[in-house]
Amino acid sequence: MTQPAQINRDRPQMLTIFETAGEAAYAVADHVLATVKSNPNAILGLATGQTPRQVYARLIEAVRDGAVTFRQATTFNLDEYCGLPPSHPDSFAAFMRRELFDGADFTSDRVNLIAGDATDYHAEADRYADLLHSSDGIDLQLLGLGTNGHIGFNEPGSEQDSRLRVVNLSAETIEANRPSLLELATVPPHAITMGISDILNSREIIMLATGASKAQAVCRSLEGPASADCPASYLSRHPNVHWYLDIGAASSLRANGRRKI
Ligand code: F6R
């Protein structure tokens, strides 16, 4: 079921391919639950977007069933749009409340979010970087994948040593994220994101990618060279990355595509 993706890369990355997006999400949720059960003080790096929604729904179920508690866990979100207060429905802060925090039992002062309505975005990026770097470091970072290979909002062109910062979103990301908007007509053009180096500092990384729209980015990340053209390809420089894919997202992989698990 699980196998290393062996594809001309610096280090093998673990790869599991599931029949459906739901199965992949459940497996990721089980991975997160196992981490928090073995280390209730775990520091979790969290992503927004459509991909992790089923993961979060499963985590909420686990809390409601009494199978886990997140009270002692700490979270750091990856990114936030510039210009949106946490109360705005299209902010990532609001997404996290809707999709996870309101239904689970996190302790509010252990939940770390970027303030999208800061008056000085660069100062806010510095504040969040200080907070992250003064913590014990992320134990488990959950990632989704942009169709252009971005991780967090590290768009193509982002280097491996990039740090937490203010970024411009690419036209492709602005278009890709538009259908997810609840109130805004267009995606904000700027964001604050953890950098690739911040992501690679995590002790363990989970990448969840589902759907055929991610197939090319998955293929470039796992089979292409590590390069700023496809930021997720830098995950090959990390010693402990696990890719969870459904068949659609795996469909362009030379080595593993269309394999039933
Ligand atoms: C979100 C984030 C992004 C998304 C990526 C995929 O916090 O950092 O990198 O993970 O854009 O988004 P979805 O899951 O909506 O396809």
Side-chain angles (χ1 to χ4, degrees):
M1 184 154 172
T2 299
Q3 59 177 38
Q6 285 291 1
I7 324 168
N8 310 325
R9 307 313 306 273
D10 300 352
R11 294 190 175 98
Q13 302 176 77
M14 297 312 293
L15 168 66
T16 314
I17 303 169
F18 295 85
E19 287 278 352
T20 67
E23 288 170 57
Y26 272 27
V28 168
D30 286 347
H31 192 142
V32 174
L33 291 172
T35 298
V36 174
K37 283 179 190 171
S38 71
N39 174 15
N41 295 305
I43 302 185
L44 304 174
L46 299 177
T48 58
Q50 296 307 306
T51 315
R53 291 179 68 198
Q54 280 182 285
V55 176
Y56 296 154
R58 181 76 163 180
L59 298 184
I60 289 172
E61 270 175 30
V63 171
R64 291 193 176 150
D65 293 348
V68 74
T69 176
F70 290 102
R71 280 195 291 273
Q72 288 170 246
T74 295
T75 68
F76 282 92
N77 260 78
L78 270 172
D79 44 18
E80 180 60 279
Y81 291 131
C82 289
L84 300 188
S87 57
H88 193 288
D90 288 315
S91 70
F92 288 169
F95 172 97
M96 290 307 300
R97 285 197 306 275
R98 275 194 311 273
E99 300 293 331
L100 181 60
F101 296 147
D102 286 353
D105 62 348
F106 289 89
T107 303
S108 57
D109 62 5
R110 293 176 186 261
V111 167
N112 297 292
L113 294 161
I114 297 166
D117 58 349
T119 45
D120 179 339
Y121 301 133
H122 297 280
E124 173 58 11
D126 290 345
R127 178 197 71 83
Y128 198 68
D130 287 347
L131 206 58
L132 178 62
H133 299 143
S134 65
S135 77
D136 290 338
I138 291 175
D139 292 300
L140 181 62
Q141 175 67 56
L142 177 57
L143 295 176
L145 182 64
T147 51
N148 61 2
H150 75 209
I151 47 175
F153 275 141
N154 294 284
E155 299 283 38
S158 302
E159 298 288 350
Q160 184 179 340
D161 61 0
S162 57
R163 309 292 298 258
L164 224 148
R165 68 201 186 287
V166 180
V167 293
N168 298 328
L169 298 185
S170 69
E172 186 170 344
T173 295
I174 288 175
E175 196 49 36
N177 286 9
R178 198 157 55 92
S180 305
L181 294 173
L182 299 176
E183 265 190 14
L184 292 173
T186 54
V187 170
H190 307 294
I192 297 173
T193 184
M194 280 187 203
I196 294 176
S197 67
D198 301 301
I199 292 170
L200 294 180
N201 278 337
S202 311
R203 283 181 268 283
E204 185 178 10
I205 298 175
I206 289 178
M207 165 60 84
L208 173 62
T210 55
S213 67
K214 303 291 172 72
Q216 280 309 313
V218 166
C219 183
R220 293 174 63 210
S221 304
L222 287 170
E223 297 184 346
S227 121
D229 293 342
C230 180
S233 63
Y234 285 126
L235 295 177
S236 66
R237 302 264 163 91
H238 191 280
N240 193 8
V241 181
H242 197 136
W243 288 70
Y244 289 84
L245 306 176
D246 69 353
I247 286 181
S251 58
S252 294
L253 289 176
R254 281 195 301 273
N256 302 291
R258 303 191 185 287
R259 200 165 53 81
K260 274 176 82 171
I261 302 285

